[in-house]
Amino acid sequence: MESQRKSSGEEDSSGERGSLHTWKGYSYSVTPERVLLSRPVLQAALGTRHGVLLVEGGQVYSFGEFPWKQSQVLEVGPLKPVLESALSGQRVVAVAAGSFHSGALTEDGGVHMWGENSFGQCGLSSLTVVPNPTPVAVMDPDTSPPHTIRVLELACGEQHSLALSAQHEVWAWGSGCQLGLVTTIFPVWKPQKVEHLVGRHVLQVACGAFHSLALVRCLPPQESRRPLPDKCGQCNQLLYTMTDKEDHVIISDSHYCPLGVELLAEGEAGLGPGRSPPIGLLSSPSETVAQNGEVLTTTDADISASGTDSDRGVGGAGSRNSPYPDDQAVKEYLKKLSDTSLAEETAKMTIAGASFQVMTTSSALNNLVSSCASAVGERVVSTYEALSLKKMINYYYPGIGGVAGVPGGFPGGPAEVRVRLEESMQGKKSCSTGDIREEEAEGLSRRLSLPGLLSQVSPRLLRRASRPRVRAVPLTPVGGLPEAGELLPSLQTEVWSWGRGEEGQLGHGDNLPRLQPLCIKCLSSKEVVLVAAGAHHSLALTAQSQVFSWGSNSSGQLGHMASPTTIPRLAKVSGIRVWDVGAGAQHTLLLADGDCYQPILYYSGQQVREGVQDTPQDQTEGYSYTQQPVLLPFCMNLGYVSGVFAGGQSCVALADRNVMGFIASLHELAAAERKFYCKLSSVKNHILRPLLDLALGPASTVLLRSLVRCYSRLCHLTGQHSASLTANLRRRREFKSLVMLEHASIFLDTYNEYCCSVGNFLVMGGFQALAKPSLEFFGKCPELLQRLAESSEENIPLSDLLVTLFYLPMRHLHEYGRLLLKLGTCFEVSSVDYQKLQDGCSKFEALALHLKRRRKEAEYTYHFWKSFPGKMTDSLRKPRRRLICESSNKALTLQNSGRFSVNWFILFNDALVHAQFSTHHVFPLATLWVEPIPEENTGLHGLKLISPEETFTLLACSSMEKAKWLRSINQAVDQAMTGAGQSGAGQRVEPPISRTASYTFYKDSRLKEATYEGRWLAGKPNGRGMVKWLDGRIYTGTFKNGLEDGFGDYVMPSKTLNLNDHYQGHWKEGKMHGIGTYKYATGELYEGSFQDNMRHGHGMLRSGTLNSSSPSVFIGQWVHDKKTGYGVFDDITRGEKYMGMWQDDQRQGTGVIVTQFGLYYEGAFNNNKMQGTGVLLSEDNTTYEGEFSEDWTLNGKGVLTMPNGDYFEGSFTGEWGSGLKVTGSFFKPNLYDSDGDKGRAVKLGRLAVPPEEKWRVVFEECWMRLGCEAPGQGENQRAWENIAVALTTSRRQHRDSPEMNLSRTQNRMLESLEFIPQQHVGPVTMEKYDSIRRYLIKACDMPLHPLGRLMETLVAVYRMTYVGVGANRRLLLQAVNEIMSYLARIFQLVRFLFPDLPEEGGAIPEPSSDPQDKKDSNCADTQLESPKPGRVVSSSALLLPVLLPRLYPPLFTLYALEKEKEDDVYWECVLRLNKQPDVALLAFLGTVFFVSTTFTPSDKLQVIQLTFEEITKEVMSSLEDNFLWSMDDLFPVFLYVVLRARLLVPTVVSL
């Protein structure tokens, strides 16, 4: 491959992307070398003396020294990389490099490793070196069979490697404690899971030489709130101890775990020469800033303190105070860049910030103890005043080096063994001294304590701590933004570290190693988005573009001069926004934003001399290094750098040329977002936190907390978006995946919510309430506020300054629009990409204009409230209420008002207020309708306003004023309905007359103080809605013209029973009307028809239950809430069933009673009693026919017939079954009397209700549904229209009620029934008859169809009548006659719907199928032939197949009971025949043999005919001559004979 050396400053006209530049050191004379490859470089990774490159297309190149390449070139210059041909055919997506080995990650998640393998770092056993990329299997042994783990990211150290799986778990292999594995056997050849991180969502891994880092997403809120354990997880000792004293209790948490031992060389037992002991509580002001958790951006105090830190330096003979070898060259370069504005701004920040952040060791301890005591409250009972600050410091500092009494900071034991302290002691040095108030404000529920500090709190301080505290508002949304989901990177992260820690590179406040991952607590609230590991130091990049560094600082690689540092501290990059980092052996490379949005590079670490090989870490004397990060002079010539990488002594930068301005626009967008987020974070830390502590009124406090909550959501979203844009620059550098384009609604909603909260706070006078307390806090010269608010005005009021500051984020929307439009200019106007960017720009610009109008509305409303007279302000002033216009200038008056009356109309965005003197009335806009009154007739400029309970007319002074108010009211109503809050262009001329709203009535007598929520039409409830009364009544259903009309659900509480009456059914004009179900609080249930809130029509009432005192069921006709007409009453308690006529809830007229004991009565009833002529039969056929006076009481003339035919005739008195008094004659029929004299059998049914009189109301309701006032009287077309309307309405009702959904088959059937069948004029043909029959089958199967409902009701009443007690054999004849009556009346309905259908018994001719017949029929001279046989129309043939299957069970039961004796005789005969031998039966049925021995069809038919004749002959001998077989009788006999013959034939043949 041909490559050439090319200076980075030369012009590149080819417009390349992904160009690679490499260099060493930071001297001004250093010139990066560019590597020219055939394809753009996507990623680079550097080891100690080699590097790996990933280019577009998935190819991998290596350069540097390759001692593992045994038969190849051992060293290749950085400008001549070689292709790793072993990866050909694999599409590599990521590469990694350790000190002396490399790794590649393929598209399918596979891992390939090569290089040094002495410690198992390549994951391949039995090999000390791996010359070429070789696959490494990452398998999960916990699954059966083990499956391959898909890997997302690789990281390599000196002796180990880490992999991040698709399940966001960490896998490790190699050697050393940096693996984080629970093992003592090294090397680990196969990748193993790091169990300590299982269950956590790991985002990134990084490897140093002998330590590891992991960026982990914080646990969800519900998991993080779990209480911490009271005992150590390994040694099972108490983590917290309490010691009782005389007047106080001492609480201590100075536990350390003795487990977890790491064996080291004897020479490494101590800290070693030149190594500092672990840093104590507070060693410097800058360390306090790193620990207390408050600083989210570089503060001015850090800038002002940087001079003192830099003056301290780090010892070294060859160290220089100047960061550059040539100071003069640097000055000239800075002058060339004209970077004076940045220097001036930095100076201003230093002066302004020096007054508000001063922190010393003493004040930090005082604040720490006070805040801790306030947080733990009653749990910490001791005295703080008893222990002075001096004693506390003297007590705490002796333990700085370790545990008291143990030299070197380690417990006693063998010199070769170092005991690692457990998490409880490790974490307290790095996080326990953090600001407890911030942790509480962020909603973290972890235990607050002072490690190793015997804190004592006085009772007075305890009482102050136990007072009720206002809940703190988290300044970071817990759990992030739910709607953002996985679209944006998480900012709630933690950094975990493990491995060797002799240089403090683990960041836990000591130099101890960690065998398992441990969280660096002080970074948990820093929003870390990227971690990097050098050889012996670590870096963490935050979303606020800050860099925390810790570990070895022998060459100044940490960016500050505290050497070494064991806890994360901010690098000294004042005012610079860093967005990418790289860590080498003894240097750090930072990529930051420049003034012109072109990235700039900073270097921190050792200067590399030309021609000198890598220098060991402990041999740095004579080498110069930086004391803080320095700007690399050549960075502006590289182009737009998208990423930096470091390793060994080398540095690498990937850069793009600005093609068509696209790259520059992407960088500008990301830089602007980073700058904006830093600005928001500064306001949050320096303004919001102090404001939350100010004492305000309750209302203002609530609004302020809501404002802070919305601001925090906006700030958090901006930080996530900033991290997303930065990640896009590092990887793809495209715009199609931008979240602000694909999911713009997240940003629009967040800004809308924030602007609304600011406006609410402004309207309620919150900023004025803040002015005085803020003045005391910020001082009379609020330079900080002016600087953050970007205000240049002088003597501006503090309240106005706060308003400007909180509205400042709205300006960024214009920045979004400008940058998206700038990106769009890089594409053709006609392209899809341009249109996409243009649409995004329009959305943000439109939102910016809308929010600007919202601000004006809020300010206008605030000034109105300031000048509003009277006492109505408190009742009318609401946070979300905005003023639109008002009539104080007499522009609008009330018609017909008094001469001296005062009418003031105020239009808000949610209501129209009518004020009169000291009273006012509020009309909600959602339920307000306005109509212009024509001026032709009256000459007045009037507006008619309609509200639910009032209608009035307003008069304007001119037509222009009328148009203004009409437009304003219509727009306000439309906004109130839609909730959009927008005005101006794009609005409807007037809001819809039908709308959804909520309203509470105050005048209407029926609905007074009731609240209605639902659909409205012109001021009246119309459509679906819900009404709630104060007494607990609730109606949910449809309305029409303000009244309940349609289907609805009504609940009415019963105060006496403490239960509810519940009605579900149809309404009409505010009353129950139609079919419905009423569940009474008493337990009764009525299902049927209603009219005028009363039971009227057919219905069924169930009273009580089987376990209650009086269970009963009535089904029948109701008139005005009383039983009147025919009905069936089942008295379950008495075991009686009455079937007859009713009047006014009493049995009146003819009827039938049957009992469970077999008694049967039919006759007259009067006043709910058996009174008059009747017939009574008992189970044994004892019959009485005569007069009755009471139930079951005989009184008068009658005839009593015994089962044997004997009978009494005379007068009877007494109750049946308890003794009768008889005055009359006894008759015993003679055995020789004629049959006519014997027959005294009573014909039942004469005194019962005629079948055609039964259930008349059921058929009448069906006729009414068809639109007929009486049976057969109505229009056919109207009936079909009513059917279609009923089906459509029922279908919609079932669709709106999920619990009443129909099946898919029923829905299809319902759709087919909605179409009205085509009516043919003329006689009905067979084809038409079949279509009618099919339609009736569908209609009867669909309960929503009038015929289907009729069928369903008839089946219910029939079963109710003849099931249970009604299953009496004497009711068979009535049951059959009732079915015949059903058929006749249903057939009448069918003929009404299909008028051309012939009457009962009419014939339908069969269609002629012979073409010749058709031809002859057309001849004029052809004589008319006789009609051919057709189909006879009958109700039974048409309807019985539909009706009978539903009624068959009770009817069969009655037949079985009636024919019980005949059935017994039949089975007796069958059993007798079964006892006969086969030969005798064969002789009796001789012809049967021929049925089985005949084979031709004609012979078989002849045998069957002979068999029928023989059977008929035998039957005729015992029956009358005129007997005619029916199939019901013939078929069973023939079937029996044939089956019996099949069993007998083999026997006969054998004989």
Side-chain angles (χ1 to χ4, degrees), residues 1124-1137:
T1124 301
Y1126 180 77
V1128 176
F1129 181 75
D1130 189 359
D1131 192 339
I1132 301 174
T1133 304
R1134 301 177 61 182
E1136 296 180 358
K1137 181 174 287 189

Side-chain angles (χ1 to χ4, degrees), residues 601-729:
L601 295 175
Y602 279 81
Y603 184 93
S604 180
Q606 183 182 8
Q607 169 68 324
V608 179
R609 297 179 179 179
E610 293 291 338
V612 179
Q613 296 294 331
D614 294 349
T615 305
Q617 183 180 357
D618 55 353
Q619 298 179 11
T620 59
E621 295 186 2
Y623 290 84
S624 61
Y625 53 85
T626 63
Q627 299 181 8
Q628 63 184 23
V630 296
L631 178 68
L632 294 180
F634 53 79
C635 61
M636 300 299 292
N637 299 326
L638 297 181
Y640 287 85
V641 180
S642 61
V644 292
F645 308 90
Q649 293 184 347
S650 301
C651 302
V652 166
L654 291 181
D656 301 315
R657 293 297 177 183
N658 187 20
V659 182
M660 298 292 295
F662 177 74
I663 296 297
S665 300
L666 279 181
H667 278 269
E668 184 177 358
L669 177 62
E673 195 72 353
R674 286 189 292 265
K675 181 179 180 181
F676 181 53
Y677 181 56
C678 293
K679 180 74 174 231
L680 293 180
S681 299
S682 298
V683 174
K684 183 174 71 173
N685 290 301
H686 300 148
I687 306 299
L688 291 189
R689 292 185 191 276
L691 291 182
L692 284 175
D693 296 332
L694 300 180
L696 300 176
S700 299
T701 301
V702 172
L703 290 175
L704 178 61
R705 292 181 181 279
S706 175
L707 171 59
V708 170
R709 191 177 298 109
C710 295
Y711 185 93
S712 300
R713 287 173 57 88
L714 176 61
C715 182
H716 192 79
L717 175 63
T718 305
Q720 288 182 294
H721 190 220
S722 169
S724 175
L725 293 176
T726 303
N728 180 54
L729 285 182

Side-chain angles (χ1 to χ4, degrees), residues 1489-1503 1545:
F1489 175 76
F1490 298 100
V1491 177
S1492 300
T1493 58
T1494 305
F1495 298 99
T1496 63
S1498 60
D1499 293 341
K1500 283 182 179 290
L1501 290 176
Q1502 186 176 2
V1503 171
V1545 167

Side-chain angles (χ1 to χ4, degrees), residues 727-941:
N728 180 54
L729 285 182
R730 296 196 196 104
R731 299 169 189 163
R732 290 166 289 192
R733 296 183 289 286
E734 61 182 17
F735 80 93
K736 293 183 179 180
S737 60
L738 295 182
V739 179
M740 64 184 304
L741 290 179
E742 298 295 331
H743 304 276
S745 60
I746 300 177
F747 295 83
L748 303 182
D749 294 342
T750 305
Y751 273 94
N752 256 319
E753 181 186 17
Y754 172 71
C755 181
C756 181
S757 64
V758 178
N760 295 342
F761 195 64
L762 172 62
V763 166
M764 299 303 291
F767 291 105
Q768 280 63 33
L770 277 178
K772 185 176 180 181
S774 300
L775 189 62
E776 298 176 357
F777 180 82
F778 294 108
K780 295 184 179 180
C781 300
E783 293 84 1
L784 175 63
L785 275 177
Q786 287 186 343
R787 177 169 56 84
L788 292 177
E790 300 178 4
S791 175
S792 58
E793 299 182 22
E794 297 182 358
N795 301 324
I796 183 173
L798 187 59
S799 59
D800 295 346
L801 198 59
L802 289 173
V803 172
T804 304
L805 176 65
F806 280 95
Y807 272 112
L808 191 63
M810 312 309 171
R811 300 183 189 174
H812 197 62
L813 292 171
H814 291 291
E815 190 73 4
Y816 281 150
R818 182 185 69 83
L819 293 175
L820 290 178
L821 187 61
K822 188 175 181 180
L823 273 174
T825 58
C826 303
F827 300 91
E828 294 291 336
V829 177
S830 59
S831 64
V832 177
D833 296 336
Y834 178 85
Q835 188 61 42
K836 188 175 183 180
L837 290 166
Q838 182 68 30
D839 293 343
C841 172
S842 301
K843 290 179 182 179
F844 287 103
E845 287 292 346
L847 179 63
L849 295 177
H850 166 57
L851 297 185
K852 185 178 180 180
R853 288 193 296 266
R854 294 270 296 272
R855 177 180 180 179
K856 291 182 178 179
E857 292 173 1
E859 293 174 345
Y860 179 39
T861 306
Y862 168 71
H863 291 299
F864 170 77
W865 291 125
K866 286 180 64 176
S867 59
F868 187 76
K871 301 180 180 179
M872 293 184 288
T873 303
D874 295 337
S875 60
L876 293 179
R877 192 173 190 177
K878 294 182 179 180
R880 293 183 176 271
R881 180 166 287 174
R882 303 289 185 269
L883 177 66
I884 297 178
C885 56
E886 47 90 20
S887 65
S888 59
N889 57 355
K890 308 296 182 181
L892 201 65
T893 59
L894 182 66
Q895 189 180 32
N896 300 326
S897 59
R899 180 178 179 183
F900 299 102
S901 62
V902 176
N903 296 280
W904 187 13
F905 294 93
I906 311 170
L907 180 61
F908 293 102
N909 63 336
D910 63 339
L912 175 67
V913 177
H914 179 202
Q916 291 178 308
F917 297 103
S918 60
T919 63
H920 67 278
H921 185 72
V922 179
F923 298 96
L925 292 183
T927 54
L928 187 68
W929 286 258
V930 58
E931 300 175 358
I933 299 177
E935 303 177 5
E936 291 80 8
N937 300 329
T938 61
L940 301 176
H941 311 295

Side-chain angles (χ1 to χ4, degrees), residues 51 257 265 320 364 382 474 564 638 651 821 917 958 1012-1013 1053 1179 1235 1250 1273 1375 1407 1412 1425 1465 1482:
C257 181
R320 297 181 55 183
S382 53
L638 297 181
C651 302
L821 187 61
F917 297 103
S958 63
Y1012 171 77
E1013 183 176 358
E1179 182 67 21
D1235 294 339
Q1273 299 179 4
Q1412 185 64 31
E1425 299 180 357
V1465 174
L1482 184 61

Side-chain angles (χ1 to χ4, degrees), residues 514-572:
R514 300 297 191 277
L515 304 182
Q516 293 180 348
L518 184 63
C519 179
I520 305 177
K521 295 295 184 180
C522 61
L523 290 178
S524 296
S525 60
K526 303 304 181 185
E527 301 178 350
V528 177
V529 295
L530 181 68
V531 293
H536 303 286
H537 72 288
S538 305
L539 304 175
L541 177 65
T542 70
Q544 300 166 33
S545 302
Q546 294 177 313
V547 178
F548 286 88
S549 59
W550 62 98
S552 173
N553 200 24
S554 58
S555 300
Q557 57 263 47
L558 298 185
H560 50 75
M561 295 313 298
S563 174
T565 178
T566 58
I567 58 173
R569 298 176 56 188
L570 283 174
K572 299 296 181 180

